[in-house]
Amino acid sequence: GEDVEQSLFLSVREGDSSVINCTYTDSSSTYLYWYKQEPGAGLQLLTYIFSNMDMKQDQRLTVLLNKKDKHLSLRIADTQTGDSAIYFCAENAGNNRKLIWGLGTSLAVNP
Amino acid sequence: EAGVVQSPRYKIIEKKQPVAFWCNPISGHNTLYWYLQNLGQGPELLIRYENEEAVDDSQLPKDRFSAERLKGVDSTLKIQPAELGDSAVYLCASSLGTAPYEQYFGPGTRLTVT
């Protein structure tokens, strides 16, 4: 069945780069997304990538997609304390409406 | 542009009581979603609307949960009667319904059932 997996925790030092990884199973997914959730808040869409792309860059964010291995990563350059949050990876389930979500990766940024 | 609006932000009720949550999507977004999020989990879809039609309600526990989106704009999710296990955050999201189908979320309603 459809599944999205992420590592649960990541700790980095302020100013370093963070890399959050995600694997998915549905090869028919056309879009994959990264969302950020701060404590007590809803989910904020950070970026998405179309499945025929292997990289997308948006300011400090770089998304890499390895479609063969069904592996998605989010790199945050120059990580700041304000980046501390839970990051969710999500894939659409082929019908372009329903998203399959990972459990989220909790990113802690240490000063 | 205003984002997705939800109310209330917090609700505490006793078990067996009814509760309702309200959502106003981003203007022009014809697709509306209700999700449930438990602590340490990702969102779980409860129901999806395309305009006023519920096109995916397979995960909605219909014995106690109901939802409506009468005019294809704002929506209400109701639980009656609430159970202890319903304590969670209820999230509303909306999208244009066209590629890349990105969903925009409201701040959520945190429900505590005692």
Side-chain angles (χ1 to χ4, degrees):
Chain A
E2 303 144 348
D3 194 19
V4 174
E5 293 189 356
Q6 301 179 237
S7 52
L8 294 182
F9 301 100
L10 177 64
S11 180
V12 300
R13 292 179 62 175
E14 190 173 15
D16 288 351
S17 291
S18 308
V19 180
I20 302 170
N21 294 301
C22 169
T23 58
Y24 61 97
T25 57
D26 189 346
S27 58
S28 67
S29 292
T30 53
Y31 291 94
L32 298 111
Y33 312 83
W34 283 105
Y35 282 82
K36 175 185 180 182
Q37 188 172 35
E38 297 183 69
L43 290 102
Q44 174 194 355
L45 177 65
L46 288 177
T47 187
Y48 63 88
I49 189 166
F50 187 47
S51 60
N52 70 350
M53 300 170 65
D54 51 21
M55 186 182 87
K56 181 179 181 180
Q57 186 155 3
D58 184 0
Q59 299 182 341
R60 291 191 298 124
L61 305 179
T62 303
V63 178
L64 296 178
L65 174 61
N66 181 327
K67 196 171 181 181
K68 173 178 170 290
D69 295 337
K70 299 190 185 69
H71 182 268
L72 182 74
S73 68
L74 174 69
R75 179 178 180 268
I76 306 173
D78 187 24
T79 311
Q80 302 298 307
T81 54
D83 295 323
S84 294
I86 300 176
Y87 291 80
F88 289 93
C89 167
E91 60 163 343
N92 67 359
N95 63 3
N96 298 320
R97 297 289 191 277
K98 181 178 179 180
L99 297 188
I100 306 300
W101 297 82
L103 293 182
T105 299
S106 180
L107 174 64
V109 182
N110 306 305
Chain B
E1 179 181 313
V4 176
V5 179
Q6 290 188 248
S7 68
R9 289 296 314 278
Y10 304 92
K11 189 75 176 178
I12 301 174
I13 60 170
E14 294 184 347
K15 63 181 180 182
K16 301 184 183 179
Q17 295 301 305
V19 65
F21 315 122
W22 177 80
C23 172
N24 187 258
I26 292 172
S27 178
H29 282 195
N30 64 325
T31 306
L32 184 146
Y33 310 77
W34 282 105
Y35 288 92
L36 176 156
Q37 186 179 28
N38 287 304
L39 190 65
Q41 304 286 321
E44 300 171 31
L45 180 68
L46 290 172
I47 189 167
R48 171 169 66 92
Y49 282 94
E50 298 285 345
N51 299 303
E52 63 273 12
E53 182 182 358
V55 296
D56 184 356
D57 63 356
S58 58
Q59 301 303 309
L60 189 72
K62 299 182 183 63
D63 56 337
R64 297 184 300 107
F65 286 64
S66 64
E68 59 183 16
R69 193 185 185 200
L70 294 175
K71 296 182 180 179
V73 180
D74 57 349
S75 175
T76 303
L77 177 70
K78 298 178 182 178
I79 308 175
Q80 181 170 13
E83 297 179 351
L84 294 175
D86 296 330
S87 295
V89 176
Y90 291 82
L91 295 164
C92 179
S94 69
S95 74
L96 279 172
T98 57
Y101 309 104
E102 70 270 40
Q103 298 180 21
Y104 295 89
F105 284 78
T109 297
R110 180 175 296 277
L111 173 68
T112 302
V113 182
T114 63

